[in-house]
Amino acid sequence: MDKKTLRRYGIVGRSSRMKALARTIDRIAPTDVSVLIVGPSGSGKELVAQALHSDSPRADRPFVAINCGALAEGVLESELFGHEKGAFTGSVGKREGLFHKADGGTIFLDEIGETKPGMQVKLLRVLEDGHYYPVGSSVPQRVNVRVVAATNRDLTEAIADKQFREDLYFRVSAVKLVVPPLMERRGDIQPLLQWFLREQPKLECSDSALEKLAHYDWPGNVRQLSNFVSRMVALKPEGLIENEDVDSFLAEQYASATHLPVSTGRTVEEAGQELIYRAILSLGNEVRILRNLITSNLPNEAEIQRSSPPVDVPLQGSTMEEMERAVIEQILVETGGNRKEAAQKLGIGERTLYRKLSKYNLS
């Protein structure tokens, strides 16, 4: 039953949370109740909104979507409600807004939490009685639409900070649906990957690469995973997605998250705290990899008795780079300088090993 429901709504996944989400959509889609979809960017909120529309009595009428956070307040008002000729500079003719275009259907207000107080008042009016005023007009227009809204913010906090109207919140959130981030449903990564690769039968993902992907936190969620697949299709249209392919992608993601200036809606202090948190997570991941690298290559008692004294690996007081250099030296000694075998024992690609040999001036 759950599989059929997921498939009907185009939801790819097998986690219990996505199955529960699909069951809730199934119950409320046939109604006219307003819905607030909460989830981080890239998690699939618009897909949920489309599912609500496609299984409703309004399915044969328009589904109209707009990102409220992408437009300035004046532009957003004109986009939503339309305007009269001469309403502002450049308005050379009358234009119908998105509410008019969605009449009889569904309008999806993405990132409603980014709207300004003045716009929130206008949205509240149309939600309460179905009436709105085009910009530059004193004649009210009536519309019959189902409103589905979405946000990646905690609107209860926005209400406490006087940034979002409480009455509007109650109007748009008769039912609240939560789309969990990808890091909270890691079991969905494999089926999503298979779905994105469905039209690329010559490109597959190795088990070890899949395991790495499953352990990444995916701050950009499903959209970021889709971006990874698009990258692989462009760079490697056939063959096997290997560890080094994932390593290269993740290195770019960490670098972008650290260095690119982006608008996040957070204060400087909050953004700084997040960067520190991400750096700690990244460092912790490197430490785990290094620890596994060292312990996996420690000889057992029989090997110790048979072998010559091992290369000394300085641990106390050493940096991670010094420890990594020592481990690579030890493996090269054990393999008699065979770089292919050394890379296999280290669990890294040959190209990665060559880069590290160059970095540490190891011949």
Side-chain angles (χ1 to χ4, degrees):
M1 175 63 181
D2 285 333
K3 287 184 179 179
K4 289 182 179 180
T5 306
L6 288 167
R7 191 161 48 245
R8 185 165 84 248
Y9 296 130
I11 298 175
V12 179
R14 58 191 179 200
S15 64
S16 58
R17 294 185 68 178
M18 295 307 287
K19 290 176 182 177
L21 177 62
R23 288 194 296 269
T24 305
I25 293 172
D26 191 49
R27 287 194 294 269
I28 66 173
T31 73
D32 250 357
V33 65
S34 59
V35 180
L36 178 65
I37 306 168
V38 180
S41 295
S43 58
K45 297 188 293 295
E46 185 166 350
L47 176 66
V48 173
Q50 289 173 335
L52 289 166
H53 174 73
S54 65
D55 205 28
S56 75
R58 299 174 179 267
D60 59 343
R61 301 294 295 165
F63 173 87
V64 178
I66 184 171
N67 186 327
C68 299
L71 301 172
E73 183 175 10
V75 178
L76 178 61
E77 182 180 2
S78 176
E79 284 293 311
L80 289 174
F81 305 125
H83 62 255
E84 297 293 325
K85 180 180 179 180
F88 51 84
T89 303
S91 57
V92 295
K94 181 178 180 180
R95 182 185 178 188
E96 302 292 357
L98 296 183
F99 269 97
H100 176 82
K101 293 177 181 178
D103 192 23
T106 303
I107 189 166
F108 175 53
L109 305 176
D110 197 8
E111 304 306 346
I112 193 173
E114 305 304 316
T115 55
K116 303 297 182 184
M119 176 55 63
Q120 292 173 25
V121 172
K122 295 178 174 67
L123 288 174
L124 181 61
R125 181 188 300 120
V126 72
L127 282 168
E128 284 182 334
D129 60 17
H131 287 91
Y132 67 90
Y133 290 86
V135 178
S137 173
S138 59
V139 180
Q141 304 292 318
R142 181 168 178 79
V143 69
N144 173 21
V145 297
R146 182 184 191 178
V147 175
V148 177
T151 182
N152 60 11
R153 300 178 60 188
D154 184 344
L155 292 186
T156 58
E157 287 187 5
I159 292 170
D161 294 338
K162 307 298 183 183
Q163 295 178 349
F164 199 82
R165 294 180 62 96
E166 187 176 36
D167 46 6
L168 178 59
Y169 174 76
F170 289 126
R171 277 288 178 182
V172 298
S173 63
V175 174
K176 185 164 74 172
L177 298 179
V178 177
V179 184
L182 195 52
M183 66 178 292
E184 293 181 8
R185 48 185 180 105
R186 297 182 189 275
D188 291 339
I189 292 175
Q190 183 177 8
L192 282 166
L193 194 66
Q194 292 172 339
W195 172 257
F196 292 137
L197 287 170
R198 68 192 183 281
E199 296 180 357
Q200 301 294 326
K202 295 183 179 180
L203 183 61
E204 296 180 352
C205 188
S206 69
D207 291 341
S208 56
L210 179 59
E211 186 175 353
K212 279 197 172 187
L213 293 173
H215 284 86
Y216 179 52
D217 283 344
W218 298 103
N221 296 288
V222 179
R223 185 183 294 127
Q224 188 183 15
L225 180 60
S226 175
N227 175 271
F228 166 75
V229 173
S230 297
R231 170 197 175 106
M232 288 296 98
V233 169
L235 298 178
K236 197 174 188 178
E238 60 182 58
L240 204 60
I241 299 173
E242 301 281 10
N243 279 346
E244 50 262 38
D245 298 316
V246 179
D247 289 337
S248 176
F249 175 79
L250 297 186
E252 290 183 13
Q253 305 310 299
Y254 288 129
S256 298
T258 305
H259 299 299
L260 287 181
V262 295
S263 176
T264 63
R266 299 178 176 86
T267 65
V268 173
E269 182 180 358
E270 290 171 338
Q273 289 174 345
E274 181 171 345
L275 286 178
I276 293 171
Y277 176 67
R278 288 187 179 277
I280 291 172
L281 286 178
S282 178
L283 181 60
N285 187 48
E286 291 177 8
V287 170
R288 284 194 299 273
I289 292 171
L290 185 57
R291 184 183 62 216
N292 293 337
L293 197 60
I294 294 171
T295 56
S296 65
N297 288 285
L298 288 176
N300 58 38
E301 188 174 349
E303 290 173 329
I304 292 173
Q305 292 174 353
R306 291 197 307 269
S307 64
S308 58
V311 176
D312 183 34
V313 180
L315 297 180
Q316 188 170 2
S318 300
T319 65
M320 285 197 300
E321 289 189 348
E322 290 170 338
M323 293 165 65
E324 184 179 52
R325 187 184 194 280
V327 170
I328 293 173
E329 281 186 304
Q330 175 175 324
I331 299 302
L332 286 170
V333 170
E334 291 179 3
T335 59
N338 187 318
R339 295 181 178 182
K340 183 175 182 180
E341 186 180 346
Q344 290 174 343
K345 294 194 72 172
L346 289 167
I348 60 178
E350 284 188 68
R351 283 182 292 178
T352 303
L353 176 59
Y354 280 115
R355 287 198 299 270
K356 293 185 181 295
L357 292 176
S358 175
K359 176 181 178 181
Y360 298 128
N361 295 317
L362 297 172
S363 57

